[in-house]
Amino acid sequence: MARKKKVLITGSSGLIGGIVARGLGHKYDMSGVDIRPSEHIPTHIADMRDFAAIQPAFEGIDSVVDLAALIQVESTWEQVYGNNIPATYNAFEAARQAGVKRIVFASSNHAAGMWEFDEPYRSIVAGDYKGLNPKMLRRVTVDMPIRPDSPYGIGKAFGEATGRFYSEKHGISVLCMRIGTVNKEGKPMTIRQFATILSHRDLVHQVERCLEAPESVRFGIVYGVSKNTWRFWDIEGARKLIGYEPQDDMERWR
Ligand SMILES: NC(=O)c1ccc[n+]([C@@H]2O[C@H](COP(=O)([O-])OP(=O)(O)OC[C@H]3O[C@@H](n4cnc5c(N)ncnc54)[C@H](O)[C@@H]3O)[C@@H](O)[C@H]2O)c1
């Protein structure tokens, strides 16, 4: 039997880390790094800002799923600059030094969140669908300019740029997932979330697609959203690039 790929999840003890570890633990040899232990996979307890402390976790790893971050969109610049930016940079650099082949970076819709304040997205987010046909919607694509909506979004744009650099300069394959909304319920809890939810099974599927994408995929950004009728982010690009085929539409909870 072929050896299982060794996958390291940073921020493994959080919500998404737990969902991914449960969903893909049978397929990969998974481990984590976090400041607190995971219920699901062996965890190297260390702070991603401490390069020497995290390095051992990267030894012998094939692919990294980089999730470690403070996740509140209201985070201050001091929090982003103090935690997320060094944590992200260290993940890429530790991966490079360990010879990791692929990094899946958890970006966020907030890297381009200002689009949401333009029509028709503003109305969709407010649940005002009058006069709109979801089949005719021009969705936000990853080719459109980044428009961070917060220091948190700036941190994610930094991560995407870092990923492009490590891909082009150091030959590591990097895929960035601009995740919409993942909550523990896996269903909409606000009007906006009818558009933005990435269900747990679509999340697991997208991470798996990122890990399995052919080596020829050197860099890419994909939106991480379920096939919600009112999604306003493009998923065609993800289908073409990595074979993402989401199954869930949040209209079933309407
Ligand atoms: N949940 C969402 O809706 C959503 C949306 C877009 C992007 N994301 C991104 O996905 C990733 C995971 O999100 P989540 O919802 O699982 O969040 P979470 O808060 O549940 O998990 C984040 C984990 O990262 C760890 N962490 C943070 N800073 C660290 C550091 N310096 N060193 C070590 N560990 C550290 C935390 O301890 C935590 O276990 C984050 O990067 C987040 O920005 C999440």
Side-chain angles (χ1 to χ4, degrees):
M1 211 175 70
R3 170 182 85 82
K4 282 185 179 174
K5 216 182 257 179
K6 286 191 182 233
V7 175
L8 174 70
I9 306 181
T10 78
S12 49
S13 307
L15 175 65
I16 292 180
I19 296 166
V20 171
R22 282 197 303 276
L24 296 175
H26 61 284
K27 179 158 183 176
Y28 303 113
D29 181 356
M30 283 197 161
S31 56
V33 54
D34 203 303
I35 48 176
R36 56 198 176 105
S38 156
E39 290 164 32
H40 309 288
I41 49 174
T43 315
H44 179 82
I45 303 294
D47 192 312
M48 287 299 297
R49 293 172 294 183
D50 183 345
F51 191 78
I54 63 163
Q55 255 185 325
F58 286 75
E59 277 164 27
I61 294 296
D62 298 299
S63 303
V64 170
V65 179
D66 182 35
L67 305 177
L70 299 173
I71 65 159
Q72 286 73 27
V73 68
E74 302 80 18
S75 300
T76 62
W77 168 244
E78 285 68 29
Q79 289 170 315
V80 171
Y81 181 68
N83 190 74
N84 294 2
I85 286 184
T88 298
Y89 191 82
N90 282 350
F92 280 98
E93 180 55 21
R96 181 190 74 78
Q97 290 190 20
V100 168
K101 298 274 182 292
R102 169 153 302 151
I103 300 173
V104 181
F105 171 63
S107 183
S108 165
N109 67 90
H110 293 289
M114 280 300 181
W115 290 106
E116 212 173 300
F117 293 88
D118 294 350
E119 294 294 356
Y121 316 117
R122 174 196 283 271
S123 292
I124 292 170
V125 166
D128 177 7
Y129 311 117
K130 243 187 346 276
L132 295 175
N133 177 350
K135 295 205 176 84
M136 303 297 284
L137 211 59
R138 270 195 62 197
R139 297 194 163 94
V140 178
T141 68
V142 299
D143 300 330
M144 289 159 69
I146 56 163
R147 292 176 67 189
D149 61 8
S150 51
Y152 171 78
I154 294 173
K156 293 302 186 183
F158 166 87
E160 292 183 1
T162 305
R164 199 181 275 274
F165 171 74
Y166 273 82
S167 167
E168 294 186 357
K169 176 82 179 173
H170 298 299
I172 303 176
S173 169
V174 177
L175 284 163
C176 305
M177 290 171 54
R178 275 191 196 162
I179 299 169
T181 306
V182 177
N183 59 18
K184 63 178 187 316
E185 294 84 2
K187 62 180 187 187
M189 306 306 285
T190 66
I191 286 287
R192 177 181 183 269
Q193 290 177 0
F194 281 92
T196 62
I197 287 272
L198 174 61
S199 72
H200 292 189
R201 72 170 161 179
D202 289 340
L203 163 69
V204 169
H205 166 65
Q206 187 170 84
V207 171
E208 193 258 355
R209 290 290 81 214
C210 285
L211 290 169
E212 294 302 319
E215 272 179 34
S216 56
V217 177
R218 304 314 301 161
F219 179 80
I221 302 172
V222 294
Y223 269 107
V225 64
S226 285
K227 61 169 188 186
N228 308 326
T229 298
W230 287 104
R231 70 184 183 277
F232 50 88
W233 301 309
D234 170 73
I235 53 175
E236 268 306 292
R239 191 177 65 75
K240 289 197 191 110
L241 187 69
I242 58 170
Y244 174 58
E245 300 284 356
Q247 297 184 60
D248 295 314
D249 182 342
M250 291 304 127
E251 286 310 298
R252 66 182 280 240
W253 301 106
R254 187 73 75 169

